[in-house]
Amino acid sequence: MRFLHTSDWHLGRAFHRVNMLDAQATFIDHLVATVRDHGVDAVVVSGDVYDRAVPPLAAVELFDDALHRLAGLGVPTVMISGNHDSARRLGVGAGLLGRAGIHLRTDPAACGTPVVLRDTHGDVAFYGLPYLEPALVKDEFSTKAGHEAVLAAAMNRVRADLATRPPGTRSVVLAHAFVTGGEPSDSERDITVGGVAAVPVGVFAGVDYAALGHLHGSQTITERVRYSGSPLPYSFSEAGHRKSMWLVDLGADGFVAADRVDCPVPRPLARIRGRLEDLLADPGLERHEQSWVEATLTDPVRPAEPMARLAARFPHTLSLVFDPERAPEDPAASYARRLAGRSDQQIAEDFVAHVRGAGPDAHERAVLQDAFDAVRADETVREVA
C-alpha cells in the first residue's frame, strides 16, 4: 500500500503578517496532484489542520475544497486533530464524511478503533491518535497527567485491537506529539507538561509505521517513525528546512520504504546577521535579495532608518532584530536577550531567587510547574469553548 504522510497545514496562519492563504492553496493543488500522479492509495494528515480552534472562513473554505478534491479522486484520507485544532469542531460531521472516504479521528476514546483499508496483500489498519492534552484525557485512560503516560495508554489500546485482527494485518498510527530525538523550531506551540515535552520513541513499538505531526521539520526518528513537517515555513527558524511530504510504500511483510516529495514554497527564507553597512554592501548576500529576510543588526548603536535601508536591497525583509555587539555581562544587554532560550519555569524560579535571595525548593518548584500546567490546560479549554 502506498500512502502520503503530511501534517501541520496550519490553514489560516500568516508568516510575519504575510497572508499565506494563496501559498496554502498552492500546496493543496500540489497535494492533490501528488496523490493523482503517484498512484497514492491513502492520505494521512497528522494534525494541526488549522492554526487555531476557530479558524477564519477562508481557511475553512480551503479545507472544504481539499476534502472534496480528495474524495473526488476516490482516495481515502485519515486525519487527526492537533494541539492547534479544536477537536470537537474538526470532528463535526465525521460520520457523514467517513462515507465519502474522509475519516476524521478527533475523539481520544476511539483511538483503538482503526480505519481498515485493503490492498492485494490484505488489511492495513490506520489508527488515529488525536493530540492528547494530558490534563483533559487522563481520566479517559485512567492514568496520570503526562504525555508519555497518556500516549502509552493510547498505544496499549492500539496494540490490544491489533492483536484481535487477522494475522498479517499491517498497521499505521497517526499521532501528534513531541517524540524524543525530534528537532523543534520556533513555530510550534509549547506542549510541556510537568517540565517534560518529549515522549520516547519506544511508545510506538509494535506498529509498522508511525506518521507523526507537531514538529515542523521533516525528519526520520527511526525508519518506522517519521515527521512529515509542515508543508510551508511558519518561522525563520525553519530557514534550513526542506519542506516536503513522505511517500510511503508499505510492503506485504510490513517493510517500509519512504521517499520525500518536495512542496512548493513561495519564497526561500534567509537569516542574515551583521552591521547594517556590511549587510548592504556584502556581494555574497545577493542570493537573498528576493528571499523573505530576517536581519539581525549587531551595530553597537542603533542606525537610523534601518528597515527602510534594508528594504532598498532586500525588499522582502519581514523581521528586524537588534543584537548589539556587547559583552554578555553588559548591564545594557536587552531583557529579551537575557531571557532567550529560558522556559517559563526557569524564569519564574529566577524571579524567586532574585526577590528572596535563594531559589525555590523541590516542593515549590513542583507548585510552580503545576500552576503553569493548569494555566495551559485552562487556555486549551477556553480556546475550544
Side-chain angles (χ1 to χ4, degrees):
M1 180 171 289
R2 170 170 286 184
F3 61 89
L4 190 64
H5 168 200
T6 179
S7 72
D8 295 274
W9 295 357
H10 288 279
L11 300 181
R13 186 164 182 164
F15 179 73
H16 285 269
R17 300 177 302 281
V18 174
N19 189 317
M20 295 289 278
L21 197 65
D22 286 345
Q24 291 168 341
T26 298
F27 161 68
I28 295 300
D29 291 341
H30 172 68
L31 172 74
V32 172
T34 301
V35 171
R36 182 182 61 242
D37 297 343
H38 289 268
V40 171
D41 300 307
V43 176
V44 300
V45 186
S46 300
D48 282 354
V49 176
Y50 293 121
D51 189 56
R52 54 183 185 267
V54 186
L57 179 59
V60 177
E61 290 174 339
L62 181 56
F63 177 62
D64 181 65
D65 176 64
L67 297 191
H68 274 84
R69 294 169 70 182
L70 289 170
L73 291 174
V75 175
T77 297
V78 185
M79 185 176 296
I80 62 172
S81 50
N83 62 304
H84 280 252
D85 298 308
S86 163
R88 292 179 64 184
R89 284 192 174 89
L90 187 64
V92 169
L96 185 60
L97 288 170
R99 298 179 186 178
I102 306 295
H103 305 280
L104 299 175
R105 291 295 184 262
T106 63
D107 182 3
C111 64
T113 304
V115 176
V116 180
L117 305 179
R118 291 186 61 84
D119 65 7
T120 55
H121 304 293
D123 291 349
V124 180
F126 289 81
Y127 296 90
L129 278 56
Y131 172 67
L132 303 173
E133 175 60 51
L136 303 181
V137 302
K138 61 182 177 64
D139 292 339
E140 166 63 33
F141 293 106
S142 301
T143 187
K144 62 182 180 180
H147 283 296
E148 182 177 352
V150 298
L151 196 54
M155 282 301 301
N156 284 340
R157 292 190 184 183
V158 168
R159 285 184 284 265
D161 179 84
L162 190 58
T164 68
R165 306 240 160 227
T169 298
R170 290 155 290 161
S171 54
V172 177
V173 167
L174 289 71
H176 197 86
F178 185 179
V179 174
T180 302
E183 183 65 31
S185 65
D186 293 342
S187 49
E188 298 117 9
R189 183 180 294 173
D190 181 30
I191 59 171
T192 302
V193 173
V196 178
V199 299
V201 69
V203 165
F204 297 103
V207 296
D208 293 307
Y209 186 83
L212 302 182
H214 180 58
L215 299 185
H216 287 187
S218 177
Q219 47 201 298
T220 299
I221 307 301
T222 73
E223 289 303 305
R224 296 184 181 276
V225 181
R226 287 183 167 90
Y227 283 99
S228 68
S230 62
L232 293 165
Y234 293 112
S235 74
F236 276 102
S237 65
E238 300 171 52
H241 289 184
R242 173 187 166 192
K243 295 302 182 183
S244 58
M245 303 177 285
W246 287 110
L247 189 64
V248 182
D249 286 308
L250 186 60
D253 58 355
F255 177 78
V256 171
D259 294 307
R260 292 176 73 174
V261 178
D262 290 328
C263 295
V265 176
R267 288 186 189 278
L269 307 186
R271 298 178 112 172
I272 59 177
R273 179 186 180 89
R275 297 193 177 198
L276 178 59
E277 294 300 336
D278 294 338
L279 297 180
L280 295 177
D282 186 352
L285 298 179
E286 182 178 354
R287 68 187 187 278
H288 298 316
E289 290 179 354
Q290 295 306 312
S291 300
W292 278 325
V293 169
E294 177 184 76
T296 299
L297 300 185
T298 61
D299 302 71
V301 178
R302 183 175 300 210
E305 299 183 332
M307 181 61 93
R309 294 167 66 187
L310 279 167
R313 183 180 185 189
F314 307 102
H316 304 288
T317 301
L318 299 181
S319 176
L320 184 58
V321 180
F322 292 98
D323 189 13
E325 297 167 347
R326 295 190 178 108
E329 66 276 7
D330 189 328
S334 73
Y335 182 68
R337 182 174 178 177
R338 284 184 277 127
L339 296 185
R342 301 184 68 75
S343 67
D344 291 342
Q345 176 84 9
Q346 291 170 320
I347 293 168
E349 291 181 13
D350 287 349
F351 177 74
V352 172
H354 174 72
V355 299
R356 198 171 64 182
D361 59 26
H363 172 71
E364 291 168 333
R365 284 195 297 272
V367 169
L368 285 170
Q369 187 63 65
D370 287 346
F372 284 121
D373 291 349
V375 167
R376 199 196 66 259
D378 183 64
E379 287 175 346
T380 300
V381 172
R382 289 176 181 273
E383 186 177 63
V384 172

